[in-house]
Amino acid sequence: MTEQTARPPQLDFFSDGEAPVLAALGLGVDSVAMCVELVERGDRIDAALFADTGSERQQTYEYLPIFKKWLEDRGVPLHVVRYEPKNVITHAPISH
């Protein structure tokens, strides 16, 4: 008997059956240049991901909607993910 592995359901969103091509975007000079180059060359990017730490520079937050529109105008959705800790336990300092 041959064991079969279930296909990850996320891949069903892509009609060609291939894994998605994702670009990690930090919105700094290097990652923006990478995305611009890939898009301008016509390389496949299915989505760009920006992980918002909540403590980015103000200029980064101001540029985010500008570059998001630029990408989306070229068919690349930009997804912003923000981590928000829950149930954080803080400990009092240990005195000696």
Side-chain angles (χ1 to χ4, degrees), residues 9-83:
Q10 298 89 335
L11 296 183
D12 292 333
F13 289 108
F14 299 92
S15 60
D16 60 9
E18 293 185 28
V21 176
L22 305 174
L25 184 63
L27 282 179
V29 174
D30 294 331
S31 63
V32 168
M34 174 195 69
C35 284
V36 169
E37 177 67 18
L38 291 171
V39 167
E40 293 297 315
R41 287 190 343 199
D43 289 350
R44 177 178 160 200
I45 302 177
D46 295 309
L49 306 173
F50 173 67
D52 181 2
T53 63
S55 61
E56 302 291 340
R57 295 172 56 199
Q58 184 61 35
Q59 295 92 331
T60 302
Y61 291 117
E62 291 169 1
Y63 189 60
L64 178 60
I66 296 167
F67 196 60
K68 179 177 173 53
K69 181 174 181 349
W70 187 91
L71 284 170
E72 291 178 349
D73 285 349
R74 287 152 181 83
V76 179
L78 173 58
H79 299 280
V80 178
V81 180
R82 181 155 192 208
Y83 173 73

Side-chain angles (χ1 to χ4, degrees), residues 1-6:
M1 181 173 170
T2 304
E3 183 178 327
Q4 294 183 348
T5 304

Side-chain angles (χ1 to χ4, degrees), residues 88-96:
V88 176
I89 300 172
T90 57
H91 297 281
I94 300 172
S95 57
H96 297 282

